[in-house]
Amino acid sequence: MNASPDPFAGAPDEALLVAYANGDGQAARFLTARLLPRVLAQATRMLGTQTEAEDVAQDAMMRLWKIAPDWRQGEAQVSTWLYRVVANLCTDRLRKRRSVSLDQVAEPLDAAPSVTAQMQTQARMSALSDALAQLPERQAQAVSLRHLEGLANPEIAQIMDISVRSVESLTARGKRALADIMAGRKAELGYNDDEPE
């Protein structure tokens, strides 16, 4: 006898959220399994530290569960709403970091295969995080969503509540500014080592 297929396998995020709001705990578990890895990845890329990213991901998911009873299907996608919440929470943390010295920030843990690779990855993530923090907030958010999260411009426009043309402009300006900020650090961060001779 075959087991019955998972009733939530093809269900859209919005339907699962409404099911959770109506008391279905299994829908919440399925939606968490679907969304949490994406939320955690977004927060990790924006913040550069696993511990902070986990805190942000947990906070974002808690906010999703709190708004579940008031969710109106068809107005927004759950994933888009969640990306916006994560981006805002990360931006708040990055703002606070600007007033904290680097010595006060804990070193993030990384499971890289060697100490050298770990140090290089750490330095690159830290440099990118620092460089993103130097950009205007909207540029940093657009660049992160486009190039770190891999979202399409229309979805970014919806998340940021701006036009697609504005997303393109913010992304282009942000990439140019990042290139300028990072230009003198290629050798230090080992990017010259990655280039074929």
Side-chain angles (χ1 to χ4, degrees):
M1 182 183 285
N2 292 337
S4 62
D6 191 327
F8 297 116
D13 297 343
E14 292 77 13
L16 292 173
L17 188 61
V18 170
Y20 162 74
N22 291 325
D24 191 330
Q26 187 179 358
R29 286 188 293 281
F30 196 87
L31 189 57
T32 299
R34 183 186 288 175
L35 296 176
L36 188 59
R38 288 187 261 168
V39 167
L40 187 56
Q42 178 190 5
T44 301
R45 285 187 197 103
M46 287 185 74
L47 297 171
T49 65
Q50 187 71 24
T51 303
E52 273 192 294
E54 289 171 357
D55 290 345
V56 165
Q58 182 178 0
D59 190 3
M61 293 304 293
M62 291 304 296
R63 290 177 186 215
L64 180 64
W65 303 135
K66 284 180 186 173
I67 61 103
D70 300 320
W71 189 264
R72 289 180 280 200
Q73 282 186 286
E75 287 191 11
Q77 291 184 354
V78 172
S79 59
T80 300
W81 182 90
L82 205 51
Y83 269 121
R84 183 180 294 174
V85 169
V86 171
N88 290 340
L89 290 170
C90 289
T91 299
D92 289 345
R93 285 179 179 252
L94 290 171
R95 265 194 220 124
K96 288 177 186 172
R97 264 193 211 169
R98 290 179 184 170
S99 62
V100 176
S101 77
L102 290 177
D103 295 335
Q104 294 173 306
V105 177
E107 292 292 321
L109 300 176
D110 191 358
S114 72
V115 173
T116 304
Q118 183 177 1
M119 289 174 61
Q120 190 170 59
T121 300
Q122 168 68 32
R124 288 176 176 180
M125 287 302 294
S126 180
L128 180 58
S129 183
D130 292 345
L132 281 169
Q134 292 178 48
L135 296 182
E137 289 173 22
R138 304 290 276 174
Q139 283 182 20
Q141 186 177 7
V143 168
S144 294
L145 291 171
R146 180 71 184 106
H147 295 287
L148 299 178
E149 295 305 313
L151 299 180
N153 288 347
E155 189 170 7
I156 297 168
Q158 190 176 8
I159 290 168
M160 295 181 68
D161 198 24
I162 57 176
S163 70
V164 172
R165 181 168 285 182
S166 295
V167 170
E168 292 167 354
S169 175
L170 285 170
T171 304
R173 289 194 322 259
K175 281 175 54 180
R176 281 193 301 273
L178 277 179
D180 290 343
I181 292 167
M182 301 288 281
R185 300 190 67 186
K186 282 182 76 172
E188 168 196 346
L189 297 172
Y191 284 109
N192 294 341
D193 298 339
D194 294 344
E195 294 174 2
E197 295 185 13

